[in-house]
Amino acid sequence: MAMANNKTLCSICNKDKITYPCKGCSKEFCLMDLTEHRQILNAELHRVTNEYNEFKQRINEQKQNPHNHSLIKQIDQWEINSIKKIQQKAQDLEYLTNQLMKITQELNNLSNMSIQQNLQPFINQISIIITEKPKFNKWKQNAITVAAGNECGHELNQLNLPFAMFIDKKKNIFIADFQNHRIVEWKSNAKEGQITAGGNNAGYRMDQLHYPRDVIVDQQNHSVIIADSENRRVIQWSRQN
């Protein structure tokens, strides 16, 4: 069976799709509804067959009574008509089964399918994304110093046990200088840092820190937030205007 070129309305879902005819009822069905229609016919065939068998059994019992002779003739005619209906349903079911088998074969054999011309604009919009391998897949084996590196000390070009750091959008490094009880801002390529918070020896005053362990920068509010460990507090230090 060739794929339909023109779309028509499915008699069940009423959508404009590629449809297939049912030889029995002469209606058009899309692939999904064609399967459902086949199941309905199959169920109806079983129901009619069962009713026929039950009724035939009762008729055979009634034939034993001669007073029911005229009624038996009517029933015999009904039996003939019922057999014709059952045969027609069976033919419809066989036709739909063959239709579905052919459709399945065509879907499995893509070489028999052709792309309709009106689908080409959609296909042209499909883009292929190629993932490139990263150019750098190894780390360099030597490093550069970005802050301090002038031995241990409290000068602006020195650090004493840097504990944590934060890098802002401008690539400035804010360092929790643990043993110097201060937060130091180190700009890119700078030779020395700038004290942002603390730096007034260890203490609990609001201008002092005591072993700061962490720092983050609130760039929206222009402030730094510090985990002041030995003072058991977290404080916010605002930048001066």
Side-chain angles (χ1 to χ4, degrees):
M1 181 189 69
M3 297 292 289
N5 291 325
N6 297 324
K7 295 182 179 180
T8 56
L9 287 178
C10 173
S11 61
I12 293 182
C13 66
N14 291 324
K15 293 182 179 179
D16 192 22
K17 297 181 178 180
I18 296 176
T19 58
Y20 306 89
C22 174
K23 188 175 181 181
C25 64
S26 301
K27 294 181 179 180
E28 298 284 337
F29 301 93
C30 64
L31 180 58
M32 182 177 297
D33 291 331
L34 181 66
T35 303
E36 182 180 355
H37 184 60
R38 174 179 175 271
Q39 293 173 348
I40 293 173
L41 286 178
N42 193 22
E44 186 176 352
L45 176 61
H46 284 297
R47 180 184 61 80
V48 173
T49 303
N50 291 335
E51 290 180 355
Y52 167 73
N53 291 333
E54 293 176 0
F55 193 72
K56 185 177 181 180
Q57 183 178 356
R58 292 199 300 269
I59 293 305
N60 290 333
E61 295 173 355
Q62 292 293 331
K63 284 182 178 180
Q64 306 300 325
N65 188 350
H67 297 290
N68 296 330
H69 185 69
S70 60
L71 180 61
I72 294 302
K73 288 184 178 181
Q74 297 178 15
I75 293 174
D76 287 341
Q77 185 61 43
W78 176 88
E79 180 180 358
I80 294 173
N81 296 336
S82 297
I83 291 175
K84 290 181 179 180
K85 290 182 179 180
I86 292 174
Q87 290 175 344
Q88 182 62 44
K89 293 293 183 182
Q91 290 177 359
D92 293 345
L93 188 60
E94 182 181 3
Y95 174 77
L96 289 176
T97 301
N98 293 333
Q99 288 276 80
L100 290 174
M101 290 178 61
K102 290 180 180 179
I103 293 171
T104 302
Q105 291 175 356
E106 289 189 357
L107 291 177
N108 291 333
N109 186 8
L110 296 180
S111 61
N112 291 336
M113 298 181 66
S114 60
I115 299 175
Q116 297 181 21
Q117 187 174 0
N118 58 353
L119 293 179
Q120 198 62 43
F122 169 76
I123 295 175
N124 291 338
Q125 294 178 4
I126 299 176
S127 60
I128 300 175
I129 301 175
I130 301 176
T131 303
E132 296 183 356
K133 293 183 178 180
K135 295 181 180 179
F136 307 103
N137 53 9
K138 291 185 179 180
W139 290 95
K140 291 183 178 180
Q141 298 304 306
N142 57 323
I144 60 172
T145 301
V146 295
N150 300 302
E151 299 184 349
C152 176
H154 62 274
E155 300 296 332
L156 291 179
N157 65 345
Q158 294 177 311
L159 295 172
N160 191 352
L161 192 58
F163 209 88
M165 66 178 182
F166 182 94
I167 302 176
D168 66 8
K169 293 181 179 179
K170 297 180 180 179
K171 298 184 179 181
N172 299 322
I173 306 174
F174 291 79
I175 304 169
D177 193 3
F178 187 76
Q179 292 282 21
N180 283 329
H181 313 290
R182 65 187 182 184
I183 304 298
V184 181
E185 178 184 0
W186 212 286
K187 297 183 181 296
S188 179
N189 298 322
K191 299 298 182 181
E192 61 182 27
Q194 177 183 353
I195 297 176
T196 300
N200 299 309
N201 298 322
Y204 59 87
R205 298 196 313 265
M206 295 308 296
D207 64 340
Q208 292 178 309
L209 297 173
H210 197 176
Y211 296 136
R213 289 181 177 270
D214 204 357
V215 58
I216 61 173
V217 178
D218 184 352
Q219 299 181 66
Q220 183 175 358
N221 295 319
H222 305 289
S223 62
V224 293
I225 300 174
I226 305 163
D228 192 10
S229 64
E230 289 300 311
N231 284 327
R232 276 70 172 178
R233 65 185 180 183
V234 175
I235 61 174
Q236 183 178 21
W237 211 291
S238 299
R239 186 185 296 271
Q240 294 181 356
N241 295 327

